[in-house]
Amino acid sequence: QVQVVESGGGLVQAGGSLRLSCAASGSIFSSNMYWYRQALGKQRELVASISSGGITHYADSVKGRFTISRDNAKNTVYLQMNSLKPEDTAVYHCKSERWGNSRWGQGTQVTVSS
């Protein structure tokens, strides 16, 4: 399974936008890709997913605000986050999965100020 590395996090004001990137060390063509987040003191939750075929799913809390996409040629998955809210503050992790094997990135911090 390939290594994945997240980037793009930072500090933004409520209502702002960020785009997170998940760069893989190898091909993600056959991989399902996921974005999770974990806020301090809370359980990790699945935010968005995109299958190898491009099918997407979103948590209700982010639906209509976040968009997951993939660029297989660049071996990269993105999470476009718009209309950010303070409750979106968390460490965001990318996960790749293929044939039951998963790899996690180190995560990138997103902080949304009110």
Side-chain angles (χ1 to χ4, degrees):
Q1 193 73 20
V2 300
Q3 179 184 0
V4 294
V5 178
E6 304 94 336
S7 62
L11 174 64
V12 297
Q13 291 183 295
S17 298
L18 284 173
R19 188 179 74 160
L20 306 183
S21 297
C22 173
S25 61
S27 176
I28 62 167
F29 184 79
S30 299
S31 298
N32 299 320
M33 305 297 293
Y34 306 82
W35 282 102
Y36 289 82
R37 68 186 181 189
Q38 187 166 25
L40 188 64
K42 293 193 172 184
Q43 286 187 246
R44 183 181 64 198
E45 69 170 328
L46 177 62
V47 175
S49 65
I50 184 166
S51 72
S52 60
I55 305 300
T56 60
H57 294 279
Y58 299 93
D60 288 342
S61 58
V62 307
K63 200 170 297 180
R65 299 188 297 120
F66 291 11
T67 303
I68 187 171
S69 61
R70 64 193 297 152
D71 187 338
N72 289 338
K74 295 182 178 179
N75 295 324
T76 301
V77 174
Y78 304 97
L79 186 67
Q80 178 66 46
M81 305 186 296
N82 299 325
S83 302
L84 283 162
K85 305 174 181 180
E87 48 263 47
D88 295 319
T89 296
V91 176
Y92 285 71
H93 293 267
C94 177
K95 183 183 79 172
S96 66
E97 184 177 275
R98 186 179 65 163
W99 300 115
N101 296 314
S102 298
R103 289 289 186 273
W104 294 83
Q106 290 295 308
T108 185
Q109 175 71 46
V110 172
T111 302
V112 184
S113 62
S114 59

